[in-house]
Amino acid sequence: MIRSLSRRNLLTSLVAIPAVALLAACSDSGEKAEAQDVKPAAPEPAKPAAPAAPAAAAAPEAQGTVDMAALLKPGALPDMQLGKDDAKVTIVEYASMTCPHCAHFAETTFPELKTKYIDTGKARYILREFPFDPSAEAGFMLARCSKDNYFPMVDVLFKQQANWVGVNNTKDALLQIAKLAGFTQESFEACLTDQKLLDDVRSVQKRGADEFKVDSTPTFFINGKTYKGAMSIAEMSAIIDPLL
């Protein structure tokens, strides 16, 4: 899976991440990924949202099931959650900060998902780290170091993805974004040289792969059923509404 990187090497590696990292961000062969072999999680490019009512969409077929009790057991890091604990629907997303499909979901589907289901108490949402490369690891580490601003930081990094993923100097690009979020040079470097945090982020990723067979991003578990690929709000509504 992911190569082991020391604290110093993680920071150094961010200076010149090859552009192929972006191509490999949403999939992992378990070996060294070749660009031509990479298969993104979403089988087709995202289609423009139709103006018709979202309820008309058919629910995607689930691609497996997991035991919810096992899925929700505490891991190496505390789960980052939005919504009520007693919501009827639980959505767990495994994502990578450098995955364009994850960014597309975050920008086009998640805002309405939050308004329609999470903010109304119908669903709770848990985001778990599944980085495929050092840049994604760094992005998640900065989000974790943002404490209560975890989700706003994730949102900014997804929205700014084109400005820091696959660029010549990812470290400097991330630093500029982090400064806008209140980081200093010192707190930025302290975060990205926190070996325990790096190990814990990797543990979350490894657990997802080993226990729940996550091998691409985004992967969603909705009340125990597995769905792979970025979904529209219409598709998610078709899954969620019958569960309410």
Side-chain angles (χ1 to χ4, degrees):
M1 299 296 287
I2 299 171
R3 290 178 304 162
S4 178
L5 291 171
S6 69
R7 288 177 285 179
R8 184 172 300 175
N9 283 344
L10 176 62
L11 272 177
T12 303
S13 69
L14 295 178
V15 176
I17 295 291
V20 72
L22 178 60
L23 298 175
C26 296
S27 184
D28 187 18
S29 66
E31 302 175 7
K32 292 183 179 179
E34 297 294 335
Q36 65 269 26
D37 293 331
V38 171
K39 296 180 180 179
E44 298 291 341
K47 297 177 182 177
E61 287 290 330
Q63 295 168 280
T65 59
V66 297
D67 179 81
M68 281 298 291
L71 182 67
L72 295 178
K73 282 183 180 177
L77 288 169
D79 274 336
M80 304 307 294
Q81 173 180 311
L82 295 172
K84 297 180 178 179
D85 287 340
D86 61 354
K88 287 187 177 181
V89 176
T90 295
I91 304 164
V92 178
E93 178 187 2
Y94 280 87
S96 177
M97 288 306 313
T98 51
C99 171
H101 298 292
C102 299
H104 179 77
F105 173 83
E107 291 189 56
T108 63
T109 300
F110 186 76
E112 194 168 349
L113 178 72
K114 184 174 183 295
T115 299
K116 188 175 181 180
Y117 296 106
I118 300 170
D119 293 346
T120 57
K122 297 175 181 177
R124 65 169 164 166
Y125 168 82
I126 295 168
L127 178 62
R128 287 185 181 167
E129 296 88 349
F130 202 86
F132 281 118
D133 55 76
S135 293
E137 291 176 336
F140 277 128
M141 290 171 73
L142 290 171
R144 285 284 179 173
C145 290
S146 298
K147 306 295 184 184
D148 291 342
N149 290 319
Y150 177 88
F151 283 106
M153 189 65 178
V154 166
D155 183 57
V156 168
L157 289 172
F158 274 139
K159 286 180 178 176
Q160 296 287 323
Q161 193 181 76
N163 296 325
W164 65 274
V165 176
V167 300
N168 288 333
N169 193 325
T170 299
K171 177 185 174 183
D172 284 353
L174 277 175
L175 176 60
Q176 296 311 309
I177 296 172
K179 282 183 175 179
L180 294 175
F183 284 81
T184 63
Q185 175 91 35
E186 292 73 21
S187 62
F188 173 82
E189 295 195 1
C191 179
L192 296 187
T193 55
D194 184 338
Q195 186 64 43
K196 184 179 186 306
L197 178 57
L198 177 60
D199 291 343
D200 287 346
V201 167
R202 289 173 175 171
S203 292
V204 173
Q205 193 266 2
K206 186 176 187 301
R207 181 186 174 212
D210 292 349
E211 294 187 27
F212 310 118
K213 310 307 177 187
V214 179
D215 59 6
S216 61
T217 56
T219 290
F220 299 91
F221 297 99
I222 303 178
N223 279 16
K225 292 186 177 180
T226 308
Y227 302 89
K228 297 187 178 185
M231 292 183 282
S232 67
I233 187 60
E235 290 172 319
M236 296 207 81
S237 294
I239 296 169
I240 294 170
D241 287 346
L243 302 174
L244 297 175

